[in-house]
Amino acid sequence: MKLNEKRKVLIPGFAILLGVCSVVASSSTMADESEAYSIARGGRLYDKWFKESTTAKTPAVAHPYYPESGKYKGNKATDWRCKECHGWDYRGKEGAYASGKHHTGIKGIAGMAGADPAAVVAVLKNQTHTMSAFGLEEQDYQDLAMFVSKGQVRSEAFIDSGSKKVTGDVNAGKSYFETVCANCHGLDGKEDDQIPPLGKVANDNPWEVLHKIINGQPNEEMPALRAFGVPVAADILAYLQTLPQE
Ligand code: HEC
Ligand code: HEC
């Protein structure tokens, strides 16, 4: 066979092979990407769904299932945030919100980690949650369910519940912070005067900061570091606790 004839035979075979490879490659990467995206976005919806969602309206009425005795009843829709009833540590009345001004006596969501996302969507559409009047899209429910099912991080091993001190590699955390966060938040964590110094938030509520490092800040450009793993987030958090608190 002459070279150019050989090429004619080889090229179609090669083209088919390439085609198969690219179909396989693109479908698998797309599935991974959309799952990672969905879980982190679900985390931001858990934080403040009416800010993260582009269609949802901010509720103007008090949440009917937020306890009358709770401090945030009807307070700027705070009583509609998932975290307000279920906690930044996802453990509700068994976690950091067992007492104090955020106490509601409501259970956490940890029991649904690993659950079928469809079962979580059913809970979100139940009588208690009554969110249907506010214009959430089906994708919002899906993302919330993906977060509840696959996105919850257990922090008991590195956040001490009594002292709130974080165990992590402070030096590694410093490098991460200075290369990933400092452009927006400043080397001292005080650049943005709309929010308290990061050193203060990290000491007051390490669970909240961990949630935001992993999932990002609702409807803001802040990145979600979920893909880098929990130990990286714990190192950053440990370093944040050393930053100035005022
Ligand atoms: C006003 C308080 C309140 C808010 C806000 C709230 N929930 Fe709930 N949630 C409850 C109560 C009470 C229950 C238990 C009774 C029930 O499921 O009807 C519950 C149960 C759950 C459960 C089932 C837990 C289990 O183990 O059975 C999940 C999951 C859940 N909520 C997720 C969410 C998500 C996600 C959000 C935000 C979109 C949210 N909740 C907002 C009060 C709240
Ligand atoms: C692209 C810019 C950007 C980057 C990078 C960024 N953030 Fe943010 N961050 C923001 C914005 C914007 C807000 C919301 C500020 C506001 O509400 O006024 C925010 C909010 C926060 C908050 C919430 C503070 C509060 O009390 O509301 C924390 C904590 C935080 N960032 C930590 C971090 C950490 C840690 C990193 C690095 C892993 C990081 N951010 C990277 C832009 C950024």
Side-chain angles (χ1 to χ4, degrees), residues 102-120:
H102 296 283
H103 171 81
T104 60
I106 294 171
K107 75 197 283 203
I109 56 164
M112 285 200 96
D116 179 355
V120 182

Side-chain angles (χ1 to χ4, degrees), residues 180-181 184-185 192 194-195 198 212 217 220 222-223 225:
V180 183
C181 323
C184 292
H185 288 287
D192 186 337
Q194 302 293 100
I195 55 174
L198 294 186
K212 288 174 186 285
Q217 175 81 347
E220 298 283 0
M222 178 162 149
L225 265 51

Side-chain angles (χ1 to χ4, degrees), residues 138-231:
E138 209 47 47
Q139 190 64 50
D140 298 330
Y141 288 104
Q142 292 300 329
D143 293 347
L144 277 163
M146 287 296 282
F147 170 73
V148 170
S149 172
K150 303 185 181 196
Q152 296 185 54
V153 165
R154 302 256 56 89
S155 55
E156 292 93 317
F158 58 92
I159 303 179
D160 182 83
S161 61
S163 67
K164 303 184 190 174
K165 276 289 159 218
V166 173
T167 308
D169 181 339
V170 172
N171 288 325
K174 182 177 195 298
S175 325
Y176 299 138
F177 179 81
E178 293 186 351
T179 51
V180 183
C181 323
N183 272 354
C184 292
H185 288 287
L187 287 169
D188 58 1
K190 291 169 54 173
E191 181 87 5
D192 186 337
D193 49 20
Q194 302 293 100
I195 55 174
L198 294 186
K200 179 165 172 45
V201 200
N203 281 287
D204 287 353
N205 196 335
W207 301 278
E208 171 181 0
V209 176
L210 180 69
H211 181 93
K212 288 174 186 285
I213 293 173
I214 288 181
N215 301 296
Q217 175 81 347
N219 202 17
E220 298 283 0
E221 283 173 1
M222 178 162 149
L225 265 51
R226 175 172 286 281
F228 298 102
V230 176

Side-chain angles (χ1 to χ4, degrees), residues 4-239:
N4 53 357
E5 279 172 353
K6 223 184 208 167
R7 214 181 271 151
K8 272 182 205 148
V9 179
L10 276 175
I11 287 172
F14 190 58
I16 289 166
L17 192 67
L18 262 184
V20 170
C21 285
S22 65
V23 166
V24 171
S26 67
S27 61
S28 66
T29 38
M30 268 181 64
D32 292 348
E33 267 168 24
S34 62
E35 176 161 317
Y37 186 84
S38 175
I39 296 172
R41 180 167 184 273
R44 295 192 295 277
L45 289 162
Y46 182 87
D47 180 334
K48 205 178 206 177
W49 53 266
F50 42 90
K51 187 161 181 224
E52 175 67 17
S53 161
T54 48
T55 58
K57 291 192 289 284
T58 303
V61 290
H63 197 301
Y65 283 87
Y66 185 88
E68 293 298 333
S69 57
K71 249 198 123 184
Y72 293 90
K73 183 98 183 171
N75 184 342
K76 295 188 193 137
T78 302
D79 50 350
W80 287 89
R81 292 170 75 180
C82 314
K83 75 93 198 165
E84 195 55 48
C85 290
H86 298 298
W88 289 114
D89 56 6
Y90 325 124
R91 296 173 64 224
K93 63 182 176 186
E94 258 117 57
Y97 285 0
S99 60
K101 59 185 180 178
H102 296 283
H103 171 81
T104 60
I106 294 171
K107 75 197 283 203
I109 56 164
M112 285 200 96
D116 179 355
V120 182
V121 171
V123 170
L124 297 178
K125 292 184 174 176
N126 74 7
Q127 288 295 339
T128 307
H129 291 94
T130 58
M131 294 159 64
S132 58
F134 303 105
L136 283 164
E137 291 181 307
E138 209 47 47
Q139 190 64 50
D140 298 330
Y141 288 104
Q142 292 300 329
D143 293 347
L144 277 163
M146 287 296 282
F147 170 73
V148 170
S149 172
K150 303 185 181 196
Q152 296 185 54
V153 165
R154 302 256 56 89
S155 55
E156 292 93 317
F158 58 92
I159 303 179
D160 182 83
S161 61
S163 67
K164 303 184 190 174
K165 276 289 159 218
V166 173
T167 308
D169 181 339
V170 172
N171 288 325
K174 182 177 195 298
S175 325
Y176 299 138
F177 179 81
E178 293 186 351
T179 51
V180 183
C181 323
N183 272 354
C184 292
H185 288 287
L187 287 169
D188 58 1
K190 291 169 54 173
E191 181 87 5
D192 186 337
D193 49 20
Q194 302 293 100
I195 55 174
L198 294 186
K200 179 165 172 45
V201 200
N203 281 287
D204 287 353
N205 196 335
W207 301 278
E208 171 181 0
V209 176
L210 180 69
H211 181 93
K212 288 174 186 285
I213 293 173
I214 288 181
N215 301 296
Q217 175 81 347
N219 202 17
E220 298 283 0
E221 283 173 1
M222 178 162 149
L225 265 51
R226 175 172 286 281
F228 298 102
V230 176
V232 168
D235 293 348
I236 296 174
L237 190 54
Y239 177 65

